[in-house]
Amino acid sequence: METGNDSGYVPLVVALACHWDKPLAELPADLAERVQLSYTPLDWDSLGPDGRRSIAAQCDYRDDPRHEASTYFLLWEFADDIAERIDRARMDGKDSVALALLDVAKQINSILEADRSRVGAEIQALRKSACTSQNAARGPRWPNHVTKKLEALRLAALRFWGDNYDPAQPDTAPKNEVVAEWLQTAHGIGATPATEMASILRPDTLRTGPR
C-alpha cells in the first residue's frame, strides 16, 4: 500500500484506512494526535465513518503540497503571521522593521487577491464543508457566501475579540482605531469601511468612544 507521495505527505485517507469505525481512544497515539489537529473544531467521535472519511479527504486536499489550493492556504496563513509581526514591531517601536514587513504583506496580499476568485473559493468551500456535520443541528446558518471584507471581518473578530478579550474586564477590549488600522494594513480594506467594520465587531454592551 502506498503510504505517501513525493513530498513526504501521508494522506489522512491512507493513514486512517483501517480505522474509520474506531473511537479516537483506539487509534494509535500519533495518529490520534494528527486527527485532533486536523479535524478541529470537529470531534472525531461525534462523526460516523462516512463523515470521518469525508473530512479526511478535505484535509488532504487542503494540506497536501501537491495541490495548488494547499499553496494558497499556506500563503494566506503566512499573510496573517506577517500581520502579527507588524503589530509586534510597532508595539516594540521598531518602525523600520514594521515598514519592511508591511511591504512584504502588500505583495502577499496582491498575490492572494489575484488568486482569490480562483483558488481561494475552493479553500472557503472546504472550510465551510468541514463544519457542516457539526453545525447541521444548529438551525439556519450563514449562506455559502464569502467576500474579501467578510473574511477580513472574521479574522479581525478572532484576532481582537477572541482569547485576548475578557467580557468581565472591559479594559481588555481593543480600540476601534487599532482594529481599523489592522484591517487596512493586513487586508487592504479602505479607511472608511475598516472603521465601520471595527464598530460592527464591538460588543453592544461596551460603551462607545475611543475604545
Side-chain angles (χ1 to χ4, degrees):
M1 177 185 294
E2 181 183 359
T3 58
N5 53 51
D6 293 340
S7 69
Y9 178 83
V10 178
L12 267 176
V13 292
V14 173
L16 290 166
C18 300
H19 304 289
W20 300 120
D21 59 347
K22 297 178 182 178
L24 185 67
E26 292 184 10
L27 299 183
D30 57 341
L31 185 56
E33 181 179 2
R34 183 180 176 189
V35 165
Q36 288 180 304
L37 290 173
S38 298
Y39 277 58
T40 299
L42 300 179
D43 176 34
W44 169 272
D45 288 332
S46 69
L47 300 170
D50 289 341
R52 294 167 180 173
R53 187 179 292 106
S54 175
I55 299 304
Q58 294 167 29
C59 289
D60 285 336
Y61 185 81
R62 180 194 67 192
D63 298 334
D64 192 335
R66 295 177 304 171
H67 296 148
E68 184 180 16
S70 175
T71 301
Y72 179 95
F73 185 80
L74 292 174
L75 188 60
W76 179 85
E77 287 191 323
F78 181 56
D80 200 43
D81 179 64
I82 288 292
E84 293 182 4
R85 293 173 183 270
I86 291 173
D87 287 346
R88 288 199 297 268
R90 285 175 171 167
M91 288 189 292
D92 293 341
K94 300 178 179 179
D95 294 338
S96 60
V97 174
L99 286 174
L101 291 175
L102 181 58
D103 184 58
V104 174
K106 288 180 178 178
Q107 294 183 48
I108 293 175
N109 282 323
S110 67
I111 296 173
L112 292 175
E113 182 63 27
D115 280 350
R116 192 180 306 276
S117 61
R118 181 168 55 87
V119 184
E122 298 178 26
I123 291 297
Q124 297 304 329
L126 285 175
R127 285 178 178 160
K128 292 182 179 300
S129 178
C131 293
T132 299
S133 298
Q134 188 180 54
N135 295 328
R138 295 181 181 177
R141 299 173 61 244
W142 186 266
N144 293 328
H145 173 67
V146 179
T147 66
K148 174 183 177 181
K149 289 179 181 177
L150 281 175
E151 180 66 4
L153 192 70
R154 183 185 73 83
L155 293 174
L158 292 171
R159 182 184 182 85
F160 295 101
W161 297 102
D163 294 338
N164 294 325
Y165 170 62
D166 182 355
Q169 300 181 24
D171 288 343
T172 62
K175 295 181 179 180
N176 278 4
E177 55 263 35
V178 172
V179 179
E181 182 180 7
W182 182 80
L183 287 166
Q184 294 177 69
T185 58
H187 295 280
I189 306 298
T192 298
T195 299
E196 294 173 347
M197 291 163 71
S199 179
I200 290 172
L201 288 172
R202 188 174 184 79
D204 296 334
T205 55
L206 289 176
R207 64 180 177 79
T208 58
R211 296 192 68 87

